[in-house]
Amino acid sequence: MTAQPVHGDGAALAIRGLRKAFGGVVAIDDVSFDVPAGTLTALIGPNGAGKSTLFNLLTNLYRTDAGTVTFFGTPLAGKTSDAIARLGLVRTFQTARVFPGMTVLENVLAGMHVSARSPIWAHAFADARARREERTMTRRAEALLDAIGLSAMRDRDATALPLGSQKLVELARAVIARPRVLLLDEPAAGLNDAETAQLARLLVAIHRSGTTVFVVEHNMSLVMGIADNVLVLDAGKLIASGSPADIQANAAVIEAYVGRATAVPT
Amino acid sequence: MDAALAITIGGLVQGSVFALVAIGFALVYRVTGTVNLAQGAFVVLGALTTYSFEQTLGWPAALAALAALAVAAIIGYLVAVCIFAPGLRRLPPSGMVMLTGGLLTLFEGAALLVWGSQPYQLPPFSGYQPVAIGGAKIPTQAFWDVGITAVVVVALWYVLQRTTFGKALRACAENPSAATLMGIDVERVRVFSYTAAAVLGALSGIAIGPVVSLQFDGGRFFTVYGFISVAIGGMGSFAGALLGGLGLGVLQQLGAAYVSSIFATTLAIALLIVTLVSRPNGLFGRGARREDNRAAAAHPIGVRTRIAPRTARIAFIAAAAVVALLPVFVGGGALSSLSIAGIVFIAVMGLDVLMGFAGQISLGHAAFVAIGGYGAAIATVRYGFPPLAGIAIGLVASLACAVVLSLITVRLRGIYMALATLAFGLLVDSLAVGLSELTGGPSGLTGVPHFSVGGYTFADARSNYYLVWGIALVVFVLLANVLRSDFGRALRAIRTDQTAALALGIDVPRYKLYAFLISAACASLAGSLYAYYFQFLSPDMVSTPRSLEYVTMLVIGGEGSLAGPLLGVLLLVILPTAIQPLNQAKTLFAGVVLVGGLLLLPQGILGVITAAIARKPARAAVHSTPPGSVPT
Ligand SMILES: Nc1ncnc2c1ncn2[C@@H]1O[C@H](COP(=O)(O)OP(=O)(O)O)[C@@H](O)[C@H]1O
Ligand SMILES: [Mg+2]
């Protein structure tokens, strides 16, 4: 039995010996690291490295083959995905998953489910407190939509928006849950330059408000500009970690990108 | 001993016919992934057209049978090309289950118009003189039926294994996109297999026609037993279909002979539920196609454009006023069908919560109407409870059943969920008929009192109208309040993307359970009101065909909005009573509406209306704000 590294109170997420294989493909191979609380940590790596799989393991959407994940000291093993979200670990998906048939406002409101308190009968009988809660939620959602420049889209079906805006809606939906840790899977994919710049400002603002942010991202200039901490995953293995400057100078990282992907980090 | 032998042989005969139907099921399922609930309709079609050619037109038996097979082939082909194939292109698997259910209703309605409601029996192929084997007298038809099944099985095996077409068919079953790349015309194979299944169905009808008498709605029975055979044997497995059919036939006959026919039916359905839940691939393994296990089985039917709150409020007040004032202008039959519409409206609103909001298809909604109805009727008639207590007893029983059903089906998705609810509905049907001590059996339970509360009895038509619509209004308001809140958003999130819903902290199984409970409660309440309104309840008022009617009303009215059910109920309850010719063809009309609605109007009437309102230039409420801080 290998000794478990002691993780300090500072770790929002502590991952130890995590492993996941799909048939013969080992997507995550004995990965261990910490995401310190209060940081904006980035995870980079070529396509197929296992980044999305890692997020699916953290939120128990996939069953782990081996290893443990603890969230602010609480082991996540055996918990359902929704229970994990209610603990304060909320994620977005690589391809935006806004709810079709629901408006932009309703999508964002759905993110506040974790904090909704009124029981069903209170809603049924239009209890004053339940109505007040709904109004407060709506106001918060509207304010957030305002802040990200989507108020005009409020009552549109969310899937009718351009993909970039859908990603913003999904981000807003996650942020409004006030998670302790926010997991973002390639939030800038599919965004144009202006939208990416807006996203960067948004991420910094979310981070400043005290949320730990753990982001998978391909856009190097975005990552290097805002991350405290960068982890590099390649073929299921963690091959490097450090400050953005360290990572940019790291030979193994450059090799991973030049060797496998066509895009060279800038 | 001889009796046992005779019963077993009777079981094998019936089983060989179930097996033929089941093989038709398996064929369509393997090639298209669809559970074709219309399969049984072709059994009736085959038997009744043969009867018409042979008895009415006086054709020789063999010619009549061949002509009937040709008719089934033509109709099967037309259905495949005009309805089934377009459905496959537009609808998810769960929508296809509803579509084929609509086809079954459509066929029943058409058969009713052509052949009326009396039963028909064909003469045996080779006379009535039985053959004696070891002391048991065996009708010659038994040899024919088992022989036909054996020939079909061998022929099918040959086609599948030894011909190019069989290879193409298997390729489509394994992987349609790969088959397309190999140059196989997948659409043609689908149409062919549907047509072949239709012919197999008709052949089963011709084979069983001399053994049992058949009438216009007999297709249900064969759909159900063929489906049970194939589900137990293993969806999509031909060997499983054969063994499942034979086994079910023998089990059915032995159970009926030695215990009771109700026991046999209940046992068969219980076996189906156990198989669906514990071994969805069937007892013989081979089976469920990959796409049935898709994580997010979204079902994109329903109202997409929401009504603006202000418009909704005005429409609600206007509708409430109309409901309140109608009895001033109408009376008699019209008032009574309006009252029935109100009761059905309550039931369909409940179904909407489950299907339109939470996205779970139920083909067994009438079962909860039955539990509520019989709960109230039995409590008041047999035990002398007051009507209000009867409603409460029905509700408790319905909620208890809903909890149990929901616990055992918690892992099922998509079509399996739909089929489990269908099986539950059938189970309740058979209990309603079978527990005749309590329910009064097939002829129903009479002497149910009018609803009364606090010394006031709702005896006349007008007070019943206000009772029903008053309750409907209260249910509408309560549901509207709930569905507008966080609860409704959680359900709608689950409907379209369960994974994303989980990621937002929505406890998916729990919310599905809540939706199921609400829908069962509405159905149960409607059932109790039904019993008090008619002062009578019989199994066919609350059996599985009603479940399909509720689905039809919901789909055509518009799922996912409480106003949709109202439109659907008005269309299917009021219109046929208002227009006499339509009343004759009520079943056909319901079938056409469901099939047409699914294919041409998946958003329902309400969806069309709201989309039209939304297209009108709305006031532009654009006030863009520059990105700033994050106010969370
Ligand atoms: N559900 C799955 N089934 C089979 N293989 C999968 C599944 N999810 C991911 N994989 C495989 O795992 C590897 C890592 O994929 P992924 O985590 O999506 O990479 P990334 O997000 O880094 O691009 C890939 O080889 C992918 O094919
Ligand atoms: Mg990925």
Side-chain angles (χ1 to χ4, degrees), chain A residues 61 81-82 85-86 97 99-102 106 109 113-114 116 120 123-125 134 137 143 146-147 157 159 173 178 205, chain B residues 304 478 481-482 485-487 489 492-493 496-497 499-500 502-507 511 622 625 627-632:
Chain A
L61 284 175
S81 303
D82 54 298
R86 289 196 298 273
R97 294 177 87 154
F99 297 116
M102 288 169 71
E106 286 170 332
L109 282 169
H113 177 77
V114 283
I120 176 168
H123 288 299
F125 295 104
E134 281 284 318
M137 281 164 61
D146 230 19
D157 188 315
T159 45
R173 191 175 73 184
R178 289 181 174 150
Chain B
R304 291 296 295 265
L478 294 180
N481 284 341
V482 165
S485 72
D486 173 69
F487 183 87
R489 287 189 297 271
R492 286 159 63 203
T496 49
D497 193 338
T499 307
L502 283 172
L504 291 177
I506 297 170
D507 186 341
Y511 275 79
V622 185
T625 324
S629 63
V630 183
T632 50

Side-chain angles (χ1 to χ4, degrees), chain B residues 143-227:
Chain B
F143 297 104
W144 276 108
D145 286 1
V146 174
I148 287 174
T149 303
V151 169
V152 165
V153 168
V154 170
L156 191 72
W157 176 83
Y158 181 81
V159 169
L160 282 178
Q161 300 299 326
R162 292 294 149 90
T163 64
T164 336
F165 187 79
K167 286 203 190 79
L169 199 146
R170 279 185 293 144
C172 290
E174 304 302 339
N175 188 340
S177 29
T180 312
L181 291 179
M182 286 158 60
I184 296 170
D185 185 347
V186 175
E187 177 103 358
R188 225 183 93 224
V189 175
R190 287 174 168 174
V191 167
F192 174 83
S193 50
Y194 195 90
T195 311
V199 173
L200 275 180
L203 186 61
S204 350
I206 297 168
I208 199 76
V211 180
V212 297
S213 54
L214 287 172
Q215 62 202 37
F216 74 102
D217 63 355
R220 287 171 205 168
F221 174 82
F222 290 98
T223 284
V224 168
Y225 277 85
F227 172 68

Side-chain angles (χ1 to χ4, degrees), chain A residues 9-14 33-42 55 58 70-72 88-91 171 174-175 178-184 203-215 228-229 231:
Chain A
D9 294 335
L13 279 167
F33 64 90
D34 281 359
V35 175
T39 58
L40 197 163
T41 300
F55 273 17
L58 296 184
T70 43
F71 178 67
F72 288 106
L89 181 61
V90 175
R91 66 171 293 174
L171 177 63
V175 167
R178 289 181 174 150
R180 300 180 76 183
V181 176
L182 186 59
L183 303 178
L184 304 173
L203 290 188
V204 170
I206 294 164
H207 178 219
R208 289 231 181 93
S209 75
T211 309
T212 305
V213 180
F214 186 25
V215 55
D228 307 324
N229 222 337
L231 301 162

Side-chain angles (χ1 to χ4, degrees), chain B residues 122-139:
Chain B
L122 295 174
F125 294 0
S126 21
Y128 292 91
Q129 188 64 45
V131 180
I133 293 179
K137 287 193 163 55
I138 299 161

Side-chain angles (χ1 to χ4, degrees), chain A residues 66-252:
Chain A
T68 59
V69 178
T70 43
F71 178 67
F72 288 106
T74 310
L76 296 184
K79 291 207 183 328
T80 57
S81 303
D82 54 298
I84 289 173
R86 289 196 298 273
L87 282 178
L89 181 61
V90 175
R91 66 171 293 174
T92 64
F93 293 87
Q94 187 171 337
T95 44
R97 294 177 87 154
V98 295
F99 297 116
M102 288 169 71
T103 63
V104 168
L105 178 66
E106 286 170 332
N107 262 279
V108 176
L109 282 169
M112 271 186 280
H113 177 77
V114 283
S115 59
R117 291 285 167 269
S118 302
I120 176 168
W121 50 264
H123 288 299
F125 295 104
D127 170 75
R129 208 173 324 152
R131 287 169 59 186
R132 203 171 326 120
E133 185 183 33
E134 281 284 318
R135 272 199 303 275
T136 313
M137 281 164 61
T138 309
R139 266 202 301 276
R140 268 184 63 204
E142 284 171 340
L144 179 58
L145 283 177
D146 230 19
I148 60 175
L150 284 177
S151 339
M153 304 292 156
R154 205 191 101 122
D155 294 323
R156 295 268 297 278
D157 188 315
T159 45
L161 266 52
L163 285 181
S165 307
Q166 290 191 27
K167 295 211 78 153
L168 274 182
V169 171
E170 198 197 22
L171 177 63
R173 191 175 73 184
V175 167
I176 207 159
R178 289 181 174 150
R180 300 180 76 183
V181 176
L182 186 59
L183 303 178
L184 304 173
D185 198 348
E186 302 198 17
L191 265 56
N192 62 30
D193 287 351
E195 287 169 331
T196 305
Q198 193 197 348
L199 174 76
R201 282 198 299 276
L202 208 58
L203 290 188
V204 170
I206 294 164
H207 178 219
R208 289 231 181 93
S209 75
T211 309
T212 305
V213 180
F214 186 25
V215 55
V216 164
E217 190 45 70
H218 267 312
N219 187 322
M220 284 300 179
S221 51
L222 175 65
V223 167
M224 296 308 166
I226 62 175
D228 307 324
N229 222 337
V230 181
L231 301 162
V232 187
L233 197 67
D234 181 34
K237 288 198 166 68
L238 198 65
I239 56 165
S241 69
S243 70
D246 293 346
I247 295 299
Q248 248 164 340
N250 188 312

